[in-house]
Amino acid sequence: MGYADELFDLTGKVVLVTGGSRGLGREMAFAAAHCGADVIIASRNYDNCVATAGEIAEKTGRAAIPYGVHIGRWDQLDGLVDACYDRFGRIDVLINNAGMQPVYDDLPSVSEKLFDAIIALNLKGPFRLSALVAERMVAAGRGSIVNVSSTGSIRPRPSIVPYAAAKAGLNAMTEGLALAFGPAVRVNTLMAGPYRTDATAGWDLDNLAPGDNPFAAHALQRIGRPSEIVGAALFLASDASSYTTGSILRSDGGMP
């Protein structure tokens, strides 16, 4: 292998990606497999997990296992972890990517049910899953957890207040878990900015009038391509970041 290949090598590793059947999670799962890892694709839509796992196995030759689970439901997460260890005997990297950013008319219209669902998927689930996996990682002597956050956590617009609050909690959780489970386990936040995914599918970004670019103030002046999350994700997942923990890595095109 070349120097860079060796630095980011995940051969023999097992990577669990939540929300791994589409969007940024799908890109990260494919990237891990291309670097030699076996992967578990977990999300609520089992059929999508099956399809993505099949594509990964076909294109990379690595084992890719689908698992249907609601990450926001505490009582389903023990089963997910047990299934991973029953199949592979280990989890080396956990990528907490599953999340939701629902649209609402205004803040008074946000119901308690919607608020609780946002907190459950974006914060409660990652906490519980991280605690379960990190405990076993410590016993194994090593591991990496990557919490996928959002620049909304530090730029909370009125349209995303509950989501921004949950992601801000995820940022704080990262630092606490890094202290709790170090030195064996590294825990970091990958803070994503605007990317062209299902969440932005309704944005007509290809037919903008002059002066209407919503990213004009960003350093790169454009939305990100899903594939552009890969470098940052692989850095945090692999030994390339062996002295990085409790940190926040922004991948947002230079959002001001």
Side-chain angles (χ1 to χ4, degrees):
M1 291 189 292
Y3 178 76
D5 294 324
E6 186 174 353
L7 192 64
F8 291 92
D9 184 34
L10 294 174
T11 300
K13 306 295 186 185
V14 176
V15 179
L16 168 58
V17 185
T18 69
S21 65
R22 62 180 187 172
L24 299 184
R26 174 186 169 91
E27 294 290 333
M28 290 185 272
F30 261 98
H34 278 302
C35 288
D38 295 325
V39 296
I40 302 101
I41 311 299
S43 80
R44 283 179 288 181
N45 191 316
Y46 179 69
D47 290 340
N48 286 349
C49 292
V50 170
T52 298
E55 289 183 52
I56 290 175
E58 179 182 356
K59 293 179 180 179
T60 69
R62 304 306 309 172
I65 306 303
Y67 193 93
V69 63
H70 192 312
I71 297 300
R73 294 182 179 167
W74 192 285
D75 60 353
Q76 294 186 18
L77 300 181
D78 290 82
L80 168 60
V81 175
D82 288 343
C84 294
Y85 277 86
D86 288 344
R87 174 63 176 81
F88 293 109
R90 61 193 295 172
I91 296 174
D92 298 286
V93 181
L94 166 63
I95 301 179
N96 281 312
N97 169 73
M100 65 181 295
Q101 181 185 325
V103 176
Y104 48 82
D105 293 331
D106 52 33
L107 290 169
S109 71
V110 176
S111 67
E112 182 178 12
K113 181 179 180 180
L114 178 60
F115 186 91
D116 288 347
I118 294 170
I119 298 299
L121 186 57
N122 291 291
L123 181 59
K124 184 174 75 173
F127 167 78
R128 177 60 175 168
L129 189 55
S130 295
L132 292 173
V133 173
E135 182 179 43
R136 300 200 195 195
M137 286 178 169
V138 169
R142 60 178 291 129
S144 174
I145 295 174
V146 181
N147 292 319
V148 180
S149 182
S150 165
T151 48
S153 64
I154 58 174
R155 301 289 186 272
R157 302 184 310 279
S159 60
I160 61 166
V161 170
Y163 173 79
K167 291 300 191 182
L170 192 65
N171 298 345
M173 187 183 83
T174 290
E175 188 168 349
L177 293 181
L179 290 169
F181 294 111
V185 180
R186 296 182 299 105
V187 188
N188 292 287
T189 290
L190 175 50
M191 183 182 288
Y195 275 85
R196 192 184 286 271
T197 64
D198 292 348
T200 59
W203 301 2
D204 188 8
L205 300 175
D206 298 320
N207 298 289
L208 295 171
D212 288 344
N213 181 5
F215 312 110
H218 296 204
L220 297 185
Q221 299 183 8
R222 63 175 176 83
I223 195 169
R225 298 181 295 272
S227 61
E228 292 180 300
I229 200 72
V230 164
L234 289 176
F235 168 70
L236 294 177
S238 69
D239 287 342
S241 59
S242 58
Y243 194 58
T244 303
T245 193
S247 72
I248 294 176
L249 174 59
R250 289 175 57 179
S251 178
D252 58 14
M255 177 180 284

